[in-house]
Amino acid sequence: MTRRSKYKDLQGWDQLEHLLKTVVPKDKKVWIWRAMGRKALALNRARVKWQMNTDGSDFEKRADGSDKPMLKKTLRGKGKGGPAQVSVEAYADSGIVKSLNPVNIDQHFGSVKTVKAMTHRELELRQKDVKGYRDRYNQGKRKGLFGKLFSAETDPPCSLEQARVLKNEVGFKKVSFDGGKTKVRATFANLQKAFTANTAGFIIREHRIKKGKRPKTSWSIKVPPRDVLGISKQDEKILMKYMATLIKKYAYFDISMPPGYEEELES
């Protein structure tokens, strides 16, 4: 009698947790919490797919203002496409959806990070290290994606924007491909062939320093908060109804929810 009155007095999650504790076998409790975690994760993925925060507002757009979807791959489970980004842990008295990706934390709460520019010497050392690693990998004529990837990263050509600066701001008129023996007109295409991105960046930086325009040595990158994690009020109602269904399924005996309970969740 006491149990029934207590059951009637409780509402919402308290009522469901009381039922789970009293009428569901211990080994089934873990099943229920695991199913709840997976359901919560599915709802969360759907919300992120629609680029919405838990309060119904849209994600803040990218810094460049584009509408390209964000964070769709940050909630991947185990399977194809890389390691798991989230996991569901279930116990007899609780379930946890755990994020394994630090990007989720930065995006959910927002962050401000300070980035320090690499010096030309640091760029040279990095280029040398990566080139040596690639050469060791490719010894014995081993080719493939790894070699191509690090080849592009080791010695990328200067960008079109860098070529424009070299011609229009720095003042290149002629450029050579053979150490000065033959010079050709410094078109954008020829400048891109003659200089790597690192070398072009160094020339531009030194030119601007001489003109009194010292480049930034560090800058801040601000990430606005976007609700990658968490559930909305509508999701909470769906989860409560789902839990009630699971309790009915695994209870020791047939139970019925109070009149109007499901209608309350649907409202």
Side-chain angles (χ1 to χ4, degrees):
M1 190 71 179
T2 303
R3 179 177 296 176
R4 174 178 288 185
S5 61
K6 183 177 180 181
Y7 161 71
K8 286 186 175 181
D9 292 340
L10 297 174
Q11 297 294 327
W13 287 113
D14 290 336
Q15 187 181 75
L16 291 171
E17 289 179 5
H18 175 73
L19 279 172
L20 183 64
K21 183 178 179 180
T22 55
V23 304
V24 176
K26 183 178 180 180
D27 59 331
K28 298 297 191 294
K29 290 183 174 69
V30 178
W31 294 10
I32 289 177
W33 282 116
R34 183 177 292 112
M36 289 288 291
R38 289 172 177 170
K39 182 72 171 179
L41 184 55
L43 292 170
N44 208 35
R45 284 176 177 147
R47 183 177 53 74
V48 171
K49 182 179 179 180
W50 287 102
Q51 304 286 280
M52 292 176 60
N53 295 305
T54 53
D55 62 359
S57 62
D58 294 332
F59 281 171
E60 188 167 332
K61 290 187 176 181
R62 294 175 180 271
D64 60 5
S66 67
D67 293 326
K68 186 178 179 180
M70 297 171 284
L71 309 173
K72 292 176 65 176
K73 296 183 179 180
T74 60
L75 296 177
R76 292 181 302 192
K78 292 182 180 179
K80 296 180 179 179
Q85 305 295 324
V86 287
S87 65
V88 176
E89 295 183 1
Y91 308 94
D93 58 352
S94 64
I96 301 172
V97 179
K98 182 187 292 185
S99 172
L100 306 177
N101 188 350
V103 173
N104 290 343
I105 308 301
D106 287 343
Q107 289 285 344
H108 185 77
F109 295 103
S111 65
V112 178
K113 294 183 178 180
T114 300
V115 180
K116 184 179 178 182
M118 296 178 71
T119 65
H120 186 65
R121 179 57 179 164
E122 288 172 335
L123 288 169
E124 285 182 335
L125 292 173
R126 177 178 177 274
Q127 184 179 24
K128 182 179 179 181
D129 290 343
V130 176
K131 184 177 184 301
Y133 192 27
R134 183 201 61 191
D135 291 343
R136 288 194 299 273
Y137 177 83
N138 284 334
Q139 65 181 351
K141 299 183 179 180
R142 296 174 66 185
K143 304 293 183 181
L145 176 62
F146 186 91
K148 293 179 181 179
L149 173 67
F150 275 86
S151 176
E153 184 179 351
T154 302
D155 199 22
C158 83
S159 66
L160 179 59
E161 183 60 32
Q162 285 178 317
R164 288 195 180 102
V165 176
L166 289 173
K167 181 176 175 62
N168 299 329
E169 184 179 330
V170 179
F172 273 86
K173 303 296 183 183
K174 299 282 186 177
V175 66
S176 174
F177 299 116
D178 55 7
K181 295 179 181 179
T182 306
K183 291 186 178 181
V184 296
R185 193 161 63 92
T187 62
F188 295 152
N190 286 338
L191 286 167
Q192 285 185 282
K193 292 178 182 178
F195 297 106
T196 66
N198 291 341
T199 303
F202 176 74
I203 294 172
I204 293 168
R205 184 163 57 249
E206 290 298 305
H207 173 78
R208 288 176 175 174
I209 289 174
K210 289 179 181 179
K211 295 292 184 180
K213 301 177 182 178
R214 299 199 67 86
K216 292 181 179 180
T217 57
S218 64
W219 57 92
S220 296
I221 297 178
K222 183 179 180 181
V223 178
R226 302 181 179 98
D227 291 346
V228 184
L229 310 172
I231 57 174
S232 66
K233 290 183 177 179
Q234 183 61 34
D235 291 342
E236 186 175 3
K237 291 181 178 180
I238 294 173
L239 286 171
M240 290 179 72
K241 188 172 181 179
Y242 184 57
M243 190 172 189
T245 303
L246 292 173
I247 290 173
K248 287 181 181 180
K249 180 177 180 181
Y250 293 114
Y252 288 112
F253 46 82
D254 291 338
I255 61 171
S256 59
M257 304 303 292
Y261 184 82
E262 293 189 356
E263 288 78 3
E264 180 184 344
L265 291 179
E266 292 174 352
S267 62

